[in-house]
Amino acid sequence: MKQGLSLRVSQHLALTPQLQQSIRLLQLSTLELSQEVEQMLDENPFLEVAEETAVREEFGLEHLNTPVSQDSREFESAADSTGGGAEDAGTSAPADAEVSAEPKLEESWEGDGTVETTPDDSEWGSDAPARKNNNDEGDTEASDLTGAHESLQDHLHRQSLGLRLSEEDRAALHFLIESLNDDGYLEDSLASLAAGLAGDDLEQAEDLEQRFAMALKLLHHMEPAGVGARNLAECLGLQLLDCKDCEETRAAIAMCKQPMELLAKRDVKRLSHLCGFTEAAVRGAIAVIGRLDPKPGRRFVNVERNLIVPDVIVVKSGRGFKVSLNGDVMPRLRVHDIYANALKQHKGQGGQALQQRLQEARWFIKNIQQRFDTILRVSSAIVERQKNFFTHGELAMRPLVLREIADELGLHESTISRVTTAKYMGTPFGTFELKYFFGSALGTETGGNASSTAVRALIKQFVSSESLKKPLSDNQISEMLKEQGIECARRTVAKYREALRIAPANLRKSL
């Protein structure tokens, strides 16, 4: 075999550790970012939370405040085209491939298309004054609301205090109350609960099961009505006991003893035959059951934990809308000045490792800045393209795809996808995920396009104004959309209706 030398030209793409971290931080939600910041604060001694009056260390501010160059955008796009992530990188490129961004906190879109930029570095521990939070005074804290919340178990325990029970019976009732789920149902059988406490002692298990049965009867008489039920039929039956005694109520009690599928299908004829009541009484009983609460414990669930804090806030400003970042979700970080200055004077062994930790802290702050800057840029572009939505509502939503925003900002589609996932925008019409503003296009008779989001809103409007005795079928809704000039097949209408959690026409019919 003959040996020889040859030259070959090839391109190689590599992601620096800093760019890997920037991509990873970009796809994190607000909660995940908060957890990442807490972990970094524990691991890196050079990183600390900046107080409002603190001054951060001046390191490369002129570099941080430079706009993103075209070369950097092309490099970022190439990185995203590989499916960019930390797991895809095998080697790291030199540090001169850094991506920088100008941190901006709010942009105002005016009617003439101009952009007014107001930089504010207060969240990052700079000399700029911190913005005043309008909710600092006169508003109730979320922690106060949480503390004032009464759970279902607390509500039931308070009622049990008025009962004269022995110590064993009170303990059995307490155990059943604590075994209820969030909906107020007792999922486990009394035998399984008793066996779990007694173990292999069969005699003790039988005694516990008897005490649980007595305690369950007491629980069924507590408020809210239906609590402690083991299935839907029992829950509805317990609530019907508190209703006025009439033919409809008796028919409803009898219907709850039949398979629930018949009630769900509203099979009046078969229910009338099985229960022995007239069809008119069965229809009245269905109306009575419709006013009951199938989940009596749900009202006690603490809904505060499900609140969504928006990352971006949009408010009307003059002829346009002002887009600004929510300062409450932005971490305020800075490099510890004392440790950084001490490291500059330290030239002993181990200084290189500490210098690396210092550089990690600086890059972490910079990557968080870039994350919020990218979110703001994407949100501003969305608001500019969806002006009609912010003026007239979801019926005025226009079709929008990720590529349109990506081409406008010079980013890759995968970057836009990361930004719009688990990021929320507070608008005058409510809080929406950024992905909500993207929708496919449906053809119209005029040759234009209608957004699928607007079509879903139109379907919801049709259903809300329909006759309860003769609800609209999917085919009828499709014909109504065609009258509006929108080509939408019946199957597409059914898909949108299911996405809106609207029941079929036969289940929406009021008897």
Side-chain angles (χ1 to χ4, degrees):
M1 181 176 180
K2 185 178 179 180
Q3 297 181 348
L5 297 176
S6 63
L7 295 177
R8 184 176 63 180
V9 179
S10 63
Q11 292 182 341
H12 178 69
L13 179 63
L15 298 179
T16 65
Q18 293 80 14
L19 185 56
Q20 295 177 27
Q21 184 186 65
S22 177
I23 293 174
R24 186 169 58 85
L25 292 177
L26 187 61
Q27 64 187 6
L28 296 180
S29 64
T30 301
L31 180 60
E32 293 170 339
L33 177 64
S34 177
Q35 296 173 349
E36 184 77 12
V37 170
E38 292 295 333
Q39 181 179 355
M40 185 62 69
L41 287 171
D42 294 337
E43 295 177 354
N44 198 318
F46 292 97
L47 198 64
E48 67 173 354
V49 178
E51 302 294 339
E52 294 186 0
T53 57
V55 180
R56 67 173 172 181
E57 178 198 18
E58 299 293 337
F59 60 91
L61 290 181
E62 67 283 353
H63 178 66
L64 288 178
N65 293 331
T66 56
V68 179
S69 64
Q70 183 65 27
D71 295 339
S72 298
R73 289 179 178 176
E74 293 177 355
F75 180 78
E76 181 272 347
S77 301
D80 282 322
S81 65
T82 64
E87 64 277 4
D88 298 330
T91 57
S92 60
D96 56 4
E98 300 169 356
V99 179
S100 60
E102 180 182 358
K104 297 177 290 184
L105 287 185
E106 62 181 32
E107 294 183 0
S108 299
W109 290 95
E110 301 295 341
D112 55 1
T114 59
V115 182
E116 177 186 355
T117 304
T118 307
D120 188 349
D121 294 333
S122 60
E123 281 77 4
W124 312 104
S126 69
D127 296 329
R131 292 177 299 176
K132 182 177 180 182
N133 187 356
N134 295 330
N135 297 327
D136 287 345
E137 298 178 0
D139 291 344
T140 305
E141 296 291 339
S143 58
D144 297 338
L145 295 174
T146 303
H149 170 73
E150 183 182 39
S151 66
L152 174 63
Q153 282 73 17
D154 294 339
H155 182 68
L156 295 174
H157 286 318
R158 184 161 52 82
Q159 296 180 59
S160 67
L161 296 177
L163 301 176
R164 293 184 179 180
L165 300 175
S166 63
E167 184 177 351
E168 293 80 5
D169 292 338
R170 187 174 298 278
L173 179 59
H174 184 278
F175 185 80
L176 290 184
I177 292 175
E178 293 298 328
S179 301
L180 299 176
N181 61 15
D182 289 341
D183 295 333
Y185 284 82
L186 187 63
E187 296 178 335
D188 300 322
S189 63
L190 300 181
S192 62
L193 292 175
L197 291 178
D200 297 334
D201 192 341
L202 298 180
E203 184 177 353
Q204 185 181 5
E206 293 179 359
D207 181 64
L208 285 175
E209 186 175 356
Q210 293 178 359
R211 290 189 180 275
F212 285 156
M214 296 176 59
L216 185 60
K217 293 180 180 180
L218 296 175
L219 183 59
H220 285 168
H221 288 83
M222 292 185 178
E223 292 292 334
V227 69
R230 285 156 289 186
N231 51 60
L232 177 60
E234 185 178 16
C235 178
L236 298 177
L238 292 173
Q239 296 181 55
L240 288 171
L241 295 177
D242 293 341
C243 296
K244 181 181 179 181
D245 186 17
C246 59
E247 186 180 9
E248 288 78 7
T249 303
R250 292 192 295 271
I253 294 176
M255 289 166 53
C256 290
K257 297 178 182 179
Q258 305 301 326
M260 288 288 102
E261 292 78 7
L262 298 178
L263 181 60
K265 295 178 181 179
R266 301 189 178 187
D267 194 341
V268 177
K269 292 184 178 180
R270 192 171 179 185
L271 287 172
S272 175
H273 175 71
L274 293 175
C275 299
F277 289 87
T278 63
E279 293 186 6
V282 170
R283 292 189 181 93
I286 292 177
V288 172
I289 294 176
R291 294 192 291 267
L292 302 179
D293 187 0
K295 298 179 180 180
R298 183 60 62 177
R299 74 186 76 167
F300 294 93
V301 175
N302 187 4
V303 296
E304 290 298 323
R305 63 185 180 187
N306 298 324
L307 288 179
I308 295 177
V309 180
D311 301 87
V312 181
I313 299 175
V314 180
V315 295
K316 188 169 182 60
S317 176
R319 296 175 297 169
F321 297 89
K322 184 168 71 172
V323 185
S324 60
L325 292 170
N326 185 1
D328 294 336
V329 302
M330 301 176 65
R332 295 166 173 82
L333 302 175
R334 74 184 184 104
V335 172
H336 202 293
D337 296 334
I338 298 178
Y339 292 167
N341 294 332
L343 181 60
K344 293 179 182 179
Q345 303 174 0
H346 178 71
K347 298 183 179 181
Q349 296 181 353
Q352 185 177 1
L354 293 176
Q355 186 67 34
Q356 183 179 0
R357 301 295 288 180
L358 176 60
Q359 186 64 22
E360 290 177 359
R362 292 171 174 171
W363 271 107
F364 186 72
I365 295 177
K366 177 181 177 180
N367 286 334
I368 291 181
Q369 287 178 322
Q370 171 134 355
R371 175 187 185 272
F372 284 101
D373 174 67
T374 306
I375 292 175
L376 180 61
R377 292 173 60 202
V378 172
S379 302
S380 301
I382 292 174
V383 172
E384 176 65 16
R385 289 179 175 267
Q386 298 289 6
K387 285 182 179 179
N388 292 334
F389 166 80
F390 295 96
T391 304
H392 305 290
E394 56 185 353
L395 287 175
M397 188 83 77
R398 56 157 291 184
L400 183 64
V401 294
L402 298 177
R403 175 166 291 278
E404 294 184 45
I405 303 297
D407 293 342
E408 178 180 342
L409 300 181
L411 302 174
H412 196 270
E413 283 186 65
S414 60
T415 301
I416 306 300
S417 178
R418 292 187 183 97
V419 172
T420 55
T421 301
K423 314 297 188 304
Y424 295 89
M425 177 185 293
T427 71
F429 298 99
T431 301
F432 303 92
E433 189 179 13
L434 294 185
K435 279 189 178 298
Y436 172 79
F437 299 95
F438 295 85
S440 57
L442 296 176
T444 61
E445 292 180 353
T446 59
N449 293 322
S451 172
S452 58
T453 305
V455 174
R456 284 194 292 266
L458 199 56
I459 292 174
K460 187 191 302 182
Q461 189 179 77
F462 289 157
V463 173
S464 62
S465 59
E466 68 182 1
S467 173
L468 296 179
K469 294 185 178 180
K470 193 176 182 181
L472 298 172
S473 64
D474 294 339
N475 190 49
Q476 290 175 320
I477 295 176
S478 177
E479 294 297 329
M480 294 175 67
L481 290 174
K482 289 181 181 179
E483 293 176 1
Q484 300 286 336
I486 301 174
E487 297 293 335
C488 189
R490 183 195 62 80
R491 294 178 60 183
T492 306
V493 171
K495 182 180 69 173
Y496 290 165
R497 176 181 53 75
E498 293 174 358
L500 294 170
R501 297 183 179 181
I502 298 176
N506 62 325
L507 297 181
R508 300 200 308 270
K509 186 175 182 180
S510 177
L511 301 176

